[in-house]
Amino acid sequence: MLRIAIQAKGRLNEETMALLTDAGIRVVAGKRKLMTQAIGFPMEVLYLRDDDIPQAVYMGVADVGIVGLNEVAEKELPVVEEMRLGFGICRISLAVPREVDYSGAVWFEGRRVATSYPHILQNFFKANGVNAEIHEIAGSVEIAPLVGMADGIFDIVSSGGTLVQNGLREVEQVFRSEAVLIATAGLDDDKRRELEKLKFRFRSIIDSKGLKYVLMNLPKNRLDEAIALLPGMRSPTILPLAEEDWCSLHVVINEHELWEKIERLKVVGAEGILVLPLENMIR
């Protein structure tokens, strides 16, 4: 049985729980309960702070974990990155007061920067030959310049709204992050098999995102034109209709090109077009 560590609360918790639900895994979390048994998969769920998850996985307290890549990079522990999960996307950036005449990373030379990610920032400054003072604080990093604690900050940015509210502007995007599935190095064979089953479920959900299942009726004499427009995962599915000169064509289309494809299909005679959500795609 696997033990998975997930964030107890915060920005990744809801999306992690949604992923588990989509994968057919139900987790009922009780108040003040640190660990619970999953339903639908042989797994225990351990609730931790996000910055404790990499260490828990490294120590084998949890076999696997879902956490931001930024926390993995910050802790610099030898855990195995199994797969990226496509949510919790953000960046960690340097920001300065908006009135500053910023001239590049060299601007930070000799200045103080407040952050919760000192190791990632130190690596960036070292790579750029900058000698700055890194002041580590937990939480409310964005107010540090306002109260005179620092000249700039290094923090997570999603929309950038919090920076604007505090009179800051983003000047260097240093690290891009998203939720990742990590594992303890050297899992035994039984746990590795269970992990592969879990990854299979996750992958089918991730692969289906942004895809639509499209069905349409089409004159048989226009079939070649439609197929040229709509390559499927291998090729479109074609089924006969009761009306001899017509067929039904089924295909998976990327959401971003859906309407352009539908418009072109109508030109070649497609009718009765149905667009359906695609929950999972098993490759």
Side-chain angles (χ1 to χ4, degrees):
M1 177 181 293
L2 282 178
R3 179 180 291 171
I4 185 171
I6 69 171
Q7 194 169 329
K9 58 182 178 179
R11 65 190 184 93
L12 294 186
N13 174 268
E14 290 184 8
E15 289 176 286
T16 297
M17 296 299 284
L19 176 65
L20 292 172
T21 299
D22 289 344
I25 302 169
R26 190 158 65 91
V27 180
V28 180
K31 291 183 178 179
R32 299 190 181 93
K33 197 169 184 180
L34 295 178
M35 190 162 62
T36 189
Q37 184 76 38
I39 301 169
F41 195 85
M43 186 168 71
E44 293 177 319
V45 180
L46 179 63
Y47 299 95
L48 296 175
R49 283 170 47 100
D50 57 346
D51 53 355
D52 289 334
I53 292 175
Q55 184 174 7
V57 173
Y58 165 68
M59 294 174 63
V61 173
D63 302 306
V64 296
I66 295 177
V67 69
L69 184 59
N70 55 303
E71 295 295 345
V72 178
E74 178 61 26
K75 297 304 180 185
E76 297 182 327
L77 294 170
V79 295
V80 180
E81 182 186 319
E82 294 288 341
M83 64 186 298
R84 300 195 178 194
L85 300 174
F87 62 85
I89 295 171
C90 63
R91 57 195 182 273
I92 311 182
S93 297
L94 283 160
V96 299
R98 57 173 168 252
E99 67 274 8
V100 164
D101 182 17
Y102 184 73
S103 55
V106 69
W107 182 87
F108 289 98
E109 181 70 29
R111 289 187 164 93
R112 179 184 292 179
V113 184
T115 185
S116 300
Y117 300 96
H119 291 109
I120 296 174
L121 182 56
Q122 182 61 51
N123 291 338
F124 173 78
F125 281 152
K126 184 177 180 180
N128 285 273
V130 173
N131 184 22
E133 180 184 349
I134 297 174
H135 183 55
E136 183 177 0
I137 59 176
S140 301
V141 174
E142 63 276 357
I143 69 167
L146 187 64
V147 299
M149 187 180 291
D151 300 296
I153 69 166
F154 180 61
D155 201 19
I156 287 178
V157 178
S158 294
S159 67
T162 302
L163 294 181
V164 173
Q165 291 171 9
N166 288 278
L168 301 171
R169 63 187 176 97
E170 186 178 7
V171 292
E172 299 281 351
Q173 295 184 15
V174 174
F175 189 89
R176 298 194 68 81
S177 182
E178 64 179 284
V180 293
L181 178 69
I182 59 173
T184 305
L187 286 177
D188 65 37
D189 290 344
D190 289 340
K191 289 185 176 181
R192 171 51 62 179
R193 278 191 291 271
E194 294 303 319
L195 175 55
E196 291 303 321
K197 292 177 184 177
L198 184 65
K199 288 167 62 178
F200 175 78
R201 295 194 190 190
F202 286 173
R203 194 172 292 114
S204 72
I205 296 162
I206 294 166
D207 286 350
S208 70
K209 290 188 183 299
L211 299 177
K212 297 293 183 181
Y213 189 70
V214 182
L215 304 81
M216 69 205 76
N217 295 333
L218 191 74
K220 285 184 177 179
N221 62 2
R222 308 299 297 273
L223 191 55
D224 288 344
E225 295 173 77
I227 291 174
L229 293 173
L230 292 174
M233 288 178 282
R234 289 187 181 272
S235 65
T237 299
I238 302 162
L239 300 173
L241 294 180
E243 191 170 342
E244 187 176 345
D245 294 333
W246 284 73
C247 63
S248 176
L249 188 149
H250 299 207
V251 70
V252 175
I253 304 178
N254 282 311
E255 193 171 33
H256 71 270
E257 60 180 354
L258 175 67
W259 293 107
E260 181 264 336
K261 294 292 187 184
I262 287 177
E263 289 166 2
R264 296 176 68 182
L265 283 164
K266 287 179 68 65
V267 170
V268 300
E271 296 180 0
I273 301 172
L274 298 179
V275 179
L276 304 175
L278 189 66
E279 291 186 1
N280 299 84
M281 185 168 67
I282 311 300
R283 294 188 183 274

